[in-house]
Amino acid sequence: PDKWSSSEGVLWKRDLPGRGWSSPITWGNRVFLTTVVNAGETESVKRGLYFGGERRAAPESEHRWMVMCLDLNTGKPLWQAEAHKGKPTHGHHIKSSYASETPVTDGKRVYAYFGNLGVYCYSVEGELLWSRPLKAHKTRYSWGTAASPVLHEDRLYIVNDNEEDSYLLALDAKTGEQVWRTERAEKSNWSTPYVWKNELRTEIITPGSGKNRAYDLKGKLLYEWDGCSSIT
């Protein structure tokens, strides 16, 4: 279309509860997304880049971490699942959210990763298949987490770069069991890993502030080079 707005060129539109910076994903005629609903008052966000948005204290109100499925053609909700209910363990930046990691699916299972909370695996029909809690860690200025999980064959790969104990983690996609965990000499970053199939092998590429690194599928460091900015 030559014109597109909130009313022009739109097939459907639906309001959603809560707040989330995760991207929606599609498979077949389904849309999957994540959000976190605050039972208390959610502070409004003003436009533009600005300083002073850190909210370092964890909210006292109850939050609900949600995974939702919509019909791609109509926007009608097909199911929603409450992954967790409780108070957040950490603060966040006002322009971020507690649902900033994008879920991933293979058409059979949907994997939702909530940074300082854990991983939740659902069937495409909304049945919880497994969950794995992960230890919460401090992030720079309490900005929160954002690196999304990556699914490759029978493994789910997660990078969690934080201020205390950064790592690259491989989980069994069917069971959620840890396959391996590799420590990383990094502080807080927010970059999703990339699985790169090339002529030699398959590599896991991880951008970082200190170093950009390539690992093999067993978590062994293959090579590294200079890092990106201080906020990767």
Side-chain angles (χ1 to χ4, degrees):
D2 340 353
K3 293 182 179 179
W4 187 44
S5 68
S6 59
S7 59
E8 298 173 291
V10 177
L11 294 178
W12 55 264
K13 180 170 59 174
R14 179 167 294 276
D15 289 334
L16 299 172
R19 178 174 289 178
W21 268 30
S22 58
S23 298
I25 61 171
T26 63
W27 189 283
N29 63 348
R30 299 188 176 212
V31 181
F32 302 101
L33 53 92
T34 61
T35 184
V36 174
V37 181
N38 181 4
E41 183 178 351
T42 298
E43 188 175 357
S44 60
V45 179
K46 60 184 180 181
R47 297 187 182 190
L49 177 66
Y50 62 96
F51 298 100
E54 295 86 0
R55 301 294 181 264
R56 303 193 184 197
E60 289 297 323
S61 57
E62 184 178 79
H63 286 55
R64 298 168 62 216
W65 282 257
M66 307 294 297
V67 181
M68 302 182 68
C69 176
L70 309 179
D71 184 284
L72 177 63
N73 298 309
T74 66
K76 177 183 177 181
L78 298 178
W79 57 262
Q80 66 177 23
E82 182 180 276
H84 179 76
K85 180 168 67 175
K87 296 180 181 179
T89 59
H90 59 288
H92 70 296
H93 194 282
I94 186 177
K95 296 194 73 174
S96 185
S97 77
Y98 290 112
S100 292
E101 295 83 4
T102 295
V104 64
T105 184
D106 57 4
K108 298 178 181 179
R109 303 178 186 87
V110 181
Y111 303 88
Y113 169 54
F114 297 100
N116 274 338
L117 189 62
V119 187
Y120 298 82
C121 174
Y122 295 88
S123 72
V124 293
E125 301 299 332
E127 177 189 1
L128 180 64
L129 300 178
W130 57 261
S131 64
R132 183 178 183 86
L134 295 174
K135 184 179 178 179
H137 293 291
K138 294 180 180 178
T139 56
R140 184 187 306 179
Y141 304 128
S142 295
W143 284 345
T145 60
S148 302
V150 168
L151 185 63
H152 175 68
E153 296 179 348
D154 58 351
R155 298 285 186 267
L156 189 71
Y157 298 107
I158 291 171
V159 168
N160 188 319
D161 285 348
N162 55 76
E163 297 299 290
E164 299 173 327
D165 184 20
S166 299
Y167 58 86
L168 170 62
L169 177 67
L171 300 178
D172 185 296
K174 292 182 179 180
T175 66
E177 293 299 316
Q178 178 175 311
V179 181
W180 50 258
R181 185 180 189 273
T182 298
E183 305 297 321
R184 286 170 53 77
E186 291 286 345
K187 295 296 184 182
S188 297
N189 287 308
W190 298 267
S191 289
T192 298
Y194 178 71
V195 177
W196 177 34
K197 295 181 181 180
N198 56 56
E199 294 179 355
L200 295 177
R201 60 202 167 202
T202 301
E203 306 177 21
I204 306 170
I205 308 297
T206 62
S209 298
K211 296 284 185 180
N212 295 290
R213 297 176 178 85
Y215 300 89
D216 67 14
L217 296 184
K218 295 182 179 180
K220 178 184 177 182
L221 180 66
L222 296 171
Y223 56 91
E224 59 187 11
W225 66 100
D226 286 346
C228 300
S229 74
S230 64
I231 304 176
T232 302

